[in-house]
Amino acid sequence: MALMQIVISPRLPEGESVSPYVAEFHKFLKKTKLRHTLHDMGTIIEGNATQLFSVARKLHEIPFKKGRRRVYTTIQIDDRRDKKVFLGDKIKSVRSKMR
């Protein structure tokens, strides 16, 4: 299992909010049935690497389909194959050491 953090930044006119685009990203993700979580700076998605690269490409296209002419997307993938890793595991590990 792998984790991907993705941040998609469509170029917007000054004063326009990115939140409608983020809402569209999450509507799309809900249909994929992949576990995901929104945080203040992006989204983390759980899946295998093939799924994650595919979903990243599809998410990247959403702003273009809505008329944006430039989109900047960053992804980070943690693909661990020696053990199963799930969304939230890293946070649990850190919190257990804070007690």
Side-chain angles (χ1 to χ4, degrees):
M1 193 64 61
L3 299 175
M4 174 177 70
Q5 175 170 267
I6 187 165
V7 179
I8 305 164
S9 304
R11 185 171 182 196
L12 301 174
E14 189 170 335
E16 188 175 326
S17 174
V18 74
S19 62
Y21 294 90
V22 174
E24 286 299 315
F25 303 150
H26 282 265
K27 287 178 191 174
F28 172 81
L29 286 170
K30 190 172 183 180
K31 293 177 191 174
T32 69
K33 309 258 191 224
L34 293 174
R35 288 187 63 208
H36 59 281
T37 187
L38 172 67
H39 59 86
D40 289 342
M41 300 294 290
T43 300
I44 299 175
I45 307 166
E46 176 186 287
N48 67 50
T50 300
Q51 291 171 312
L52 296 178
F53 283 111
S54 176
V55 79
R57 178 67 185 163
K58 291 172 184 170
L59 289 168
H60 177 79
E61 289 297 321
I62 289 172
F64 288 113
K65 291 177 181 174
K66 296 200 159 293
R68 297 293 70 150
R69 295 176 55 188
R70 185 175 185 183
V71 178
Y72 183 80
T73 297
T74 58
I75 61 172
Q76 293 177 297
I77 294 179
D78 182 0
D79 187 5
R80 186 141 189 200
R81 298 187 180 176
D82 61 328
K83 73 177 198 175
K84 292 185 185 259
V85 179
F86 299 99
L87 204 55
D89 287 351
K90 293 178 181 191
I91 293 169
K92 288 177 193 171
S93 176
V94 170
R95 286 189 176 147
S96 73
K97 292 167 179 70
M98 293 170 55
R99 294 180 189 157

